[in-house]
Amino acid sequence: MDYENEVLPFAGAYKIEELSISSPNTGQTSDITDFMLEINLYENLFNSCMSGNLIVADAINLISNLPLLGNEFLTIKIRTPSLEDDPSAIIKKTFQIYAIKDRIMNDDRSQYYNISFMSIEGYEDKTTVVTKSFKGTTDEVVSKIYQEYSEFDRPIVVLDTPHQSTIKYTSNHWSPFKNINYVAKNSKGAKLPGTDFLFFESNKAFYFGSIEALIYFQRLNGPFDEYVIERNGAKMPRRILSPGDKFSGRRLPDEVTAIENIKMLKTIDTLQGNHIGAFSSSLDGYDFYTKKVIHNQFDFVEDMKNFTKTGPVSIVPETLKRNPLASKKYNSYNTGLYNDYGLTDEEDLPDGCTSNQLLTRKLNRASYLKSFENNKLEVLVPGRTDIEVGNVISILYPSAEPPNDDLTTVLDPLLSGLYIISGIHHKINSDRHTMNMEVIKNGLSSVPEKVEMDEEVENVS
């Protein structure tokens, strides 16, 4: 097909290229494209797998004739017109159906119901147990667990390899995902100081990596795209915050990157921040074998300078009152099996000893993840199938003041800048595809004081 000449008729247009249900009981596969009323797909950085629901209008009693018993497979393939049929540009996956809800009979003998589904990997995880010991670098252990117990139709992408961290532990009837998430809490990559590793699934792949690594590589190679708030019909230019127009996403018409609604979910709360240790915290480690204690502290203003953030400017003012002892936690070492990794027998523990490294990783992980609690937005935008959770985007947010007479507008320096997408709700109905995205950031970007407005903007397809 000639995708280059294919036209995107409007922002949020989509093509359902496959929507079918397969029954393992009868071996039958049914196309349900004509029955679809609405598809909801959810992906999140803090969820190990995707999930969703499908609302159908069933006029042929498919629920009884197939039949739908709750263990069928749902295959979805959706593509934004003008994007090529490539894994990086489409949403395609087979899900496990696990529930039929809200079944309603209509007067004209049709019926409506809600089909709940999740990734096959996540469904299988609920009934799979792992009882064995693991030893090696954290990236090797995670790859082994995933490939042996979880891999079905898509690989896992492990970031910032080879890892510096090693691990040795016994899985005692844990599920595969519980094992991988346990390893995530003890992982450190090859280059970056952050230890905020997460295991999650986007609509493209499973990922095992830190948020810092996602931000680092996308700041290096260019963010995915730039989304813009346009007030009163004013046309704003696109792709101005990344030098040299360096963006990794495909260029679509400007209407696709227009923010239709925005909600401030969370802005800085200094009282809560001090309470949860978002600005400063401390962690003490006690070794049951050597009876020694290590103290470690983290200060957002000073220590976050060593980490890659969404912007170079700190979101926390240096004058903010904070105390690491206001949020203090304890950690124990060598409480059971495998006590060869913990503290040494030396009277004065040196910098760089094993226990100090472990304690620093735990404190860095908690502190970096908490750094996103200060700025969280929810934006409603037209849907597209080449975007995924974990992408870094730029947002242009005009200042709350009238545009200038010289066709320029001032950007809000606190709200404009780079964000990482932490969650996406894809909503696909008969009208269009929309995305409700949760975006977060832990650093402020340098933005231009004024942006020239365009009287007319030519769409780029």
Side-chain angles (χ1 to χ4, degrees), residues 57-61 104-112:
D58 182 0
I60 62 172
N61 201 24
I104 301 173
M105 298 296 296
N106 214 12
D107 292 338
D108 59 358
R109 303 181 66 85
S110 65
Q111 55 188 324
Y112 302 91

Side-chain angles (χ1 to χ4, degrees), residues 137-144 158 161-163 165 183 187 208:
T137 60
T138 49
D139 57 318
E140 293 172 343
V141 170
V142 163
S143 297
K144 181 178 180 179
V158 183
T161 58
H163 288 183
S165 50
V183 177
S187 297
F208 184 83

Side-chain angles (χ1 to χ4, degrees), residues 141-158:
V141 170
V142 163
S143 297
K144 181 178 180 179
I145 294 172
Y146 180 81
Q147 291 166 7
E148 187 171 346
Y149 298 101
S150 297
E151 185 169 2
F152 284 89
D153 62 348
R154 52 174 46 176
I156 187 172
V157 179
V158 183

Side-chain angles (χ1 to χ4, degrees), residues 415-433:
L415 296 175
S416 297
L418 297 182
Y419 291 79
I420 184 167
I421 303 172
S422 57
I424 304 178
H425 169 198
H426 299 269
K427 184 176 182 178
I428 301 156
N429 55 31
S430 58
D431 296 326
R432 63 197 293 247
H433 174 195

